[in-house]
Amino acid sequence: MENIKVGLIGFGKAAQVFHAPLIQVSPELHLKKVVERHHDKSKSRYPWVEVVRSVEELLEDETITLVVIATPNDTHFPLAKQAILANKHVVVDKPMAITSKQARDLIDLAKRQNVILSVFHNRRWDGDFLTVRQLLAEKKLGRLVEFESHFDRFRNLRKEGWREKEGVGTGILYDLGSHLIDQALILFGLPQMVMADLRIQRDTAQVIDNFELILFYPNLKVSLKAGMLVREPQTRFILHGMNGSYVKYGLDPQEDALKKGLVPGRADWGEELIDKWGKINTDFQGTHIEESLQTQPGAYENFYNNIANVILHREKLHVKAEEAMNTMRIIELALQSHEKKCIIPYTFE
């Protein structure tokens, strides 16, 4: 069977660093067309690509099976809807949409059109997250009582670009927050209550650039934090259980590797240096363990490999649109909690 032809809408940072390279290393995908309104950047990197100026021109190509949307957040819903109505399978960059209602509408439409809809939550394949997931599955800390996850950067000047301009769907909660929330929901499911503190900390910032989000579960507190003024490295994960703790510093190395032009397939892809491994201190099966815990290799390529296998071989979809919709709902509740200065019960309207 021929490779799946892919059409990519947008060629900004998300497409250049993540989507295009990962599509191209997937053995069953082929990047055919890219929508760029004013440039031909994709063709300089992928000479075989055909650059088109409109979404309509891309969707008219009957050979394109999968459409990937890597555009500003407020365009995700209308573009995904347009692509689904054109009977294309669709991958949307995170967040899936601006509201959970938009997400639900896309899910319903995709079901009616009998096409696949997924969302690019690639950080489910961060090496440290894979390690935490295994650690919890093995119950090495005993019953977990507290989970803290950080995704911090240092950028004290506002960058030009839509992510940091005042508007719908901008700011760090929709950006890095989508990753942290998705990871928490995968580990623990939907919370009972949500509380959030959202801030604009930088002098020139126009949008939320710092947040603390607390998800309440029975006998478990989950704290999710991100900020743009964290120059000194902070913890990535802190886990405390009845039998011990796990603490991890440093971010997954795959993003930096992709920015350097490296791609999956190298023998050392996704591997973390020893000095970045987390520390575990616990009692497990009658033995006290206090040591560095090797971080599993990250594997962003698994996202698009799964999409291809779902289309071609009916493999189970790893990132379901319904899960991404739940992330949108948590963001909505976080905004309500901050505005009302109170804890909000989890509900889905």
Side-chain angles (χ1 to χ4, degrees), residues 14-15 18-19 68-71 73 76 91-97 118-122 162-163 175 179 304:
F18 294 102
H19 293 282
V68 175
I69 298 168
T71 55
N73 294 346
H76 288 182
V91 167
V92 188
D93 196 36
K94 58 80 198 163
M96 181 179 179
S118 188
V119 181
F120 189 63
H121 280 297
N122 61 303
W162 62 266
R163 284 183 177 83
D175 186 18
H179 289 309
Y304 274 112

Side-chain angles (χ1 to χ4, degrees), residues 12-14 41 71-74 155 157-172 175 202 204-208 228:
K13 176 186 174 183
K41 294 179 180 178
T71 55
N73 294 346
D74 62 351
R155 187 185 300 152
L157 297 176
R158 178 173 59 87
K159 289 183 67 174
E160 292 301 319
W162 62 266
R163 284 183 177 83
E164 296 207 44
K165 288 184 179 179
E166 189 173 1
V168 178
T170 60
I172 197 172
D175 186 18
R202 293 171 298 171
T204 60
Q206 299 177 352
V207 297
I208 293 166
M228 301 297 287

